[in-house]
Amino acid sequence: MNFMQFTEEQEMLREIAYDFARNEVRPLIKAYDRRAEFPQELLPKMAALGFLGVCIPMRYGGAGMDYVSLGILCEALEWADSSVRETIAVHVGLNGLPLFQWGNEAQKQKYLVPQSRGDKIACFGLTEPGAGSDVANLSTHARRAGDRYILNGEKMWITLADVADHFLIFAKTDPAARHRGISAFIVERGFSGVTTGTIHGKMGVRASNTGWIALQDAEVPAENRLGREGEGFKIAMSALDNARYTVAAGAVGVIKACLEESVQYANQRETFGQKIGEHQLVQQMIARMAQRRDAGELLVAKAGWLKNRGIRNTRETSMAKWYCTEAALASANDAVQIHGAYGYSDEYNVERYLRNAKSAVIYEGTTQIHELVQGAYALGYRQDKPLRCELPAYDRSYWQEEGEATLE
Ligand code: CAA
């Protein structure tokens, strides 16, 4: 099994995505981060390159590429900044792919097509003020009233809350049934009773929009329920199988950026009459970054390889997310150390990488949740059950049936 050999198309995407990260994101992201402002101006450019529907079939407005390409794109974007990769994680991983996996044809035509083209932006509303890791304990409630549902509750820590045109909202339709009583709804910003706001004062990912969504007697047409009543928890968990993969791939981008910038600095800065790279303790930090990069790449590639073949990868994706985000945090910490006092100022990028990397060991399942999950798999306490709607294996002829990919 050679899951590190990339196709011509994937190599082309890597080049385009790194060029975009280098030329479009890096020059402006520090200023956005300082102002804690979302770089809205990047969205049309990302749309034009097909990034906002990278692995969605062309018939649904996407670029028709595979799940490995999704990882390649996320690595390149987060090499520049976590906030841009987060846009792909929620728009594609937590919203586009669940619509593709669980949606009916009408929902795909109405929502998936415009969002994959980048005409609309979408996000994911699962977490609440009182329910993060213990997501089955969420309290947002949906009551059926004829041909609609009435939703009440609040979502918090939602990426793109103040940017997105529509949200995938999880709410209890049968509170007594705990996780089996949760349903998923496509909620448009314009529906009555829906308001959003931005959360300020974050330690990192400051150029990402993070906010809240309030639902006060929000009226949602019954046809906007995604999947069956009670299927919401499985939809959320399967969506997280996609998004955690994007987080893992992005974290490899962070490690690469830390390594490159540390190597460059270590070859310039001199102490005690020699380049600091010649000091063994600095070499050790550099060596560990290189080790984390190689190990992370393999874990991400394995998860992508399984996804392309339609093989359930909840365990492998969780492993990749856990390892890569911790490895990125450790690498960013070392990168700041190597840069010394300069690394502690925003003259260099590494302090931003450190602040950003901390967020990824918290969201999309904390490190502790992934440790529990991996322990349960290893002990044989946890097995994956087949789903009613599995994420389909990648089939190039189906994905690219209509016209050429927009990535050129
Ligand atoms: N795909 C589909 N179904 C799945 C699944 C998956 N990956 N994992 C579990 N399920 C199913 C199970 O088969 C089970 O089905 P049955 O009802 O038929 O038995 C059901 O879901 C319950 O699963 P578990 O028994 O595994 O549930 P649990 O309570 O033991 O554990 C958990 C759940 C792992 C702790 C889970 O709650 C979890 O992952 N928590 C973390 C939540 C999280 O990651 N939040 C991130 C929010 S999004 C975000 O951060 C994005 C952002 O905007 C920044």
Side-chain angles (χ1 to χ4, degrees), residues 133 159 179-180 233-234 241 244 312 364-365 382 385:
S133 294
T159 304
H179 76 266
R180 294 197 178 120
F233 190 82
K234 290 184 182 179
D241 284 348
R244 288 169 177 169
R312 185 70 176 271
E364 311 256 0
R382 188 179 182 92
K385 293 182 192 162

Side-chain angles (χ1 to χ4, degrees), residues 80-150:
D81 194 69
S82 305
S83 58
V84 196
R85 191 274 307 151
E86 282 184 6
T87 295
I88 301 295
V90 301
H91 177 81
V92 179
L94 289 173
N95 196 307
L97 284 173
L99 284 189
F100 175 54
Q101 181 174 355
W102 297 90
N104 59 39
E105 195 55 30
Q107 291 168 338
K108 288 178 191 172
Q109 291 301 334
K110 184 166 180 190
Y111 293 103
L112 183 57
V113 170
Q115 77 187 65
S116 302
R117 290 189 182 137
D119 297 335
K120 297 279 182 196
I121 298 297
C123 76
F124 184 79
L126 180 66
T127 304
E128 299 186 352
S133 294
D134 183 12
V135 66
N137 197 33
L138 62 82
S139 62
T140 297
H141 181 264
R143 175 175 55 84
R144 180 91 190 225
D147 61 354
R148 47 199 56 229
Y149 286 87
I150 310 297

Side-chain angles (χ1 to χ4, degrees), residues 215-229:
L215 303 149
Q216 285 172 313
D217 290 329
E219 291 191 24
V220 179
E223 72 243 28
N224 276 31
R225 193 189 65 228
L226 186 70
R228 297 176 181 162
E229 266 201 13

Side-chain angles (χ1 to χ4, degrees), residues 93-335:
L94 289 173
N95 196 307
L97 284 173
L99 284 189
F100 175 54
Q101 181 174 355
W102 297 90
N104 59 39
E105 195 55 30
Q107 291 168 338
K108 288 178 191 172
Q109 291 301 334
K110 184 166 180 190
Y111 293 103
L112 183 57
V113 170
Q115 77 187 65
S116 302
R117 290 189 182 137
D119 297 335
K120 297 279 182 196
I121 298 297
C123 76
F124 184 79
L126 180 66
T127 304
E128 299 186 352
S133 294
D134 183 12
V135 66
N137 197 33
L138 62 82
S139 62
T140 297
H141 181 264
R143 175 175 55 84
R144 180 91 190 225
D147 61 354
R148 47 199 56 229
Y149 286 87
I150 310 297
L151 270 62
N152 280 287
E154 191 184 353
K155 300 292 174 179
M156 200 174 176
W157 306 117
I158 306 303
T159 304
L160 301 183
D162 244 358
V163 172
D165 298 287
H166 57 92
F167 324 99
L168 190 55
I169 297 285
F170 296 85
K172 290 247 167 93
T173 38
D174 180 2
R178 221 180 120 77
H179 76 266
R180 294 197 178 120
I182 296 173
S183 304
F185 300 91
I186 305 164
V187 177
E188 293 183 26
R189 174 175 294 284
F191 287 173
S192 69
V194 179
T195 47
T196 65
T198 294
I199 296 169
H200 298 285
K202 284 176 298 174
M203 173 185 181
V205 289
R206 290 189 188 156
S208 181
N209 178 258
T210 310
W212 49 265
I213 304 170
L215 303 149
Q216 285 172 313
D217 290 329
E219 291 191 24
V220 179
E223 72 243 28
N224 276 31
R225 193 189 65 228
L226 186 70
R228 297 176 181 162
E229 266 201 13
E231 248 175 0
F233 190 82
K234 290 184 182 179
I235 295 174
M237 288 298 124
S238 62
L240 284 163
D241 284 348
N242 308 323
R244 288 169 177 169
Y245 169 70
T246 72
V247 176
V252 172
V254 175
I255 300 169
K256 287 186 177 180
C258 289
L259 180 57
E260 285 164 25
E261 288 170 48
S262 298
V263 164
Q264 194 182 1
Y265 190 78
N267 278 320
Q268 281 167 4
R269 177 81 176 172
E270 293 192 2
T271 59
F272 305 102
Q274 56 185 1
K275 290 173 184 165
I276 63 167
E278 291 173 47
H279 296 307
Q280 288 181 342
L281 293 180
V282 172
Q283 284 179 11
Q284 184 183 52
M285 288 189 273
I286 299 272
R288 286 178 179 169
M289 283 186 217
Q291 181 198 44
R292 295 181 196 120
R293 174 202 57 199
D294 285 8
E297 273 185 335
L298 283 169
L299 288 172
V300 170
K302 183 177 179 185
W305 188 91
L306 292 168
K307 284 179 194 299
N308 268 0
R309 279 152 189 80
I311 301 168
R312 185 70 176 271
N313 53 85
T314 303
R315 186 187 73 78
E316 291 81 0
T317 297
S318 154
M319 183 72 87
K321 192 276 177 188
W322 168 30
Y323 177 81
C324 294
T325 55
E326 286 291 341
L329 180 59
S331 300
N333 198 31
D334 284 346

